[in-house]
Amino acid sequence: MTTISDDELGERLRRMFAADDPVPPAAIEAAKAAFGWRTIDAELAALVSDSLTSAGAATVRGTPPRLLSFANGGVTIELEVTAEDGTARILGQLSPAQPAEILVEFIGGDRTTEADQIGRFGVDGLPVDWLRVVVTAGPDRTRSCTEWFKP
Amino acid sequence: MSTGALAQRTRSGCLVSIVPVTDFDATTSLLAASMGEQRAWDAIVGQYSGLVWAVARGYRLAAPDAADVFQATWLRLVEHLGDIRDGSRLGAWLATTAKHEALALMRRNSRHVPTADIDVLGGGGRNTSTSVDDGLLRTEEHSALWRAFGKLSDSCQRLLRVIFADPAPSYAETSAALDIPVGSIGPTRARCLSNLQALLGALA
């Protein structure tokens, strides 16, 4: 057998990956389109806890609801997310508790609802895909937007 | 630098051709994108798609799952566009984010399947199901190399995927993608390539 140099072997690998496993053009187009989801007037509420990353979650049989908590300086958005039979359902709680306009966005559409006086809301029939929740609340109509999450 | 020039270059030669690193300025592109310039964003996507894809594929994710990780990584960058000022850190940030998203996807997957299947999905494991590698074109020209590559350890496959992504990532980006110190990239690369040589010889 003939051995080739490491550099030559590396070049063969580079050519192989480029020829046989290029980034799919549809994925590139989706990545470019992701720029359209830029929010200018909403403050990001970052993920602060996720039941999926706590120990033991993966060993529970069945699919228990996933608990996600997002927060920024003004509001905490707690979500219970359930995926069943191809659709997702969100139950939410705002704190401080307050009424608010709720927008749930996903790739290809959105849904609106309202949080009640004690900050509760719910939306079902959502796609099991990337979702985020935009909350508009308070006298200044401050907008907060969760990071994207997937049920 | 005009972002228009970047965009044209991206449109004409995106990804497969080697975009000279010196012609892409990450800091300028980040700034322009954070001000709403779609063409600057497209240039960033063009520059780093190969790296992000390589990280996702390095976890031996099937094509639909790799595409999901890829999309998630770019959604995260849109969210955090204003937070990254230093363009020299952008590639490492994307590599780290892609790695986190790959691990998050494997956690989600393991949650939605019976526990018996978790070993197959969790991190590529030892049991490689055929579906894990699907989506590859596997041309005849490279079939022997693919076979040898597939027999490498998970860590070597991940490393070689990233190192030989196109365009070639920097040491800082490679280090972020693989969680290994910059100083051990060279020796690990040499060891993995040597293992690959041996496997190729054995299969010949």
Side-chain angles (χ1 to χ4, degrees):
Chain A
M1 109 201 176
T2 44
T3 47
I4 55 174
S5 73
D6 276 4
D7 285 348
E8 206 177 324
L9 184 56
E11 263 323 296
R12 282 184 60 191
L13 281 171
R14 190 189 308 285
R15 283 201 305 275
M16 177 178 86
F17 296 141
D20 293 1
D21 192 26
V23 191
I28 305 258
E29 286 315 306
K32 289 179 177 174
F35 194 58
W37 294 102
R38 204 168 63 98
T39 51
I40 307 148
D41 56 344
E43 194 191 339
L44 188 67
L47 182 67
V48 289
S49 76
D50 180 351
S51 61
L52 199 50
T53 56
S54 41
T59 62
V60 179
R61 287 194 175 265
T63 305
R66 182 170 167 203
L67 305 174
L68 295 162
S69 182
F70 300 90
N72 59 27
V75 68
T76 298
I77 304 162
E78 291 185 310
L79 304 177
E80 181 184 298
V81 186
T82 317
E84 241 169 31
D85 302 326
T87 69
R89 184 180 74 228
I90 291 176
L91 294 175
Q93 171 71 59
L94 304 177
S95 58
Q98 58 192 311
E101 290 169 26
I102 304 292
L103 173 69
V104 181
E105 291 187 306
F106 45 90
I107 314 293
D110 58 51
R111 295 274 304 279
T112 55
T113 187
E114 285 179 3
D116 64 16
Q117 290 299 319
I118 56 172
R120 296 176 307 188
F121 61 93
V123 182
D124 58 14
L126 294 163
V128 185
D129 202 346
W130 292 103
L131 303 170
R132 70 177 175 186
V133 176
V134 185
V135 175
T136 308
D140 304 332
R141 296 186 51 78
T142 308
R143 275 161 48 94
S144 298
C145 176
T146 69
E147 293 186 41
W148 289 97
F149 59 92
K150 194 159 184 175
Chain B
M1 177 187 296
S2 116
T3 50
L6 284 174
Q8 274 173 7
R9 184 166 297 107
T10 308
R11 268 194 216 104
S12 63
C14 197
L15 295 176
V16 183
S17 75
I18 295 169
V19 180
V21 177
T22 47
D23 281 68
F24 172 83
D25 186 86
T27 302
T28 309
S29 299
L30 267 176
L31 183 64
S34 69
M35 293 190 300
E37 182 61 68
Q38 173 82 47
R39 287 173 302 176
W41 172 260
D42 291 354
I44 293 170
V45 172
Q47 181 70 17
Y48 294 107
S49 279
L51 174 61
V52 173
W53 185 252
V55 173
R57 282 300 221 180
Y59 283 92
R60 294 158 80 175
L61 299 176
D65 281 348
D68 199 63
V69 167
F70 186 83
Q71 172 76 351
T73 303
W74 295 108
L75 286 171
R76 296 282 172 243
L77 182 59
V78 175
E79 283 170 351
H80 293 280
L81 206 46
D83 306 342
I84 311 163
R85 298 270 152 72
D86 178 3
S88 68
R89 296 186 47 233
L90 176 57
W93 190 94
L94 285 166
T96 304
T97 302
K99 182 181 64 192
H100 288 162
E101 291 299 334
L103 296 172
L105 176 133
M106 291 190 286
R107 272 198 303 273
R108 283 199 306 272
N109 279 353
S110 67
R111 181 167 172 270
H112 290 303
V113 296
T115 38
D117 290 343
I118 286 176
D119 288 342
V120 178
L121 289 161
R126 299 268 151 246
N127 332 308
T128 307
S129 79
T130 47
S131 68
V132 172
D133 286 330
D134 81 2
L136 297 172
L137 302 170
R138 272 208 199 76
T139 52
E140 198 55 42
E141 183 194 350
H142 299 120
S143 61
L145 189 52
W146 273 121
R147 257 184 297 143
F149 181 77
K151 290 183 187 299
L152 284 170
S153 68
D154 289 346
S155 60
C156 275
Q157 290 195 34
R158 203 169 297 150
L159 178 113
L160 295 177
R161 275 276 185 173
V162 169
I163 286 181
F164 297 109
D166 191 7
S170 70
Y171 269 20
E173 289 160 0
T174 305
S175 164
L178 302 166
D179 259 339
I180 59 173
V182 166
S184 64
I185 293 172
T188 314
R189 174 186 186 273
R191 181 174 57 77
C192 291
L193 285 175
S194 153
N195 292 350
L196 185 59
Q197 291 271 19
L199 285 164
L200 268 175
L203 287 169

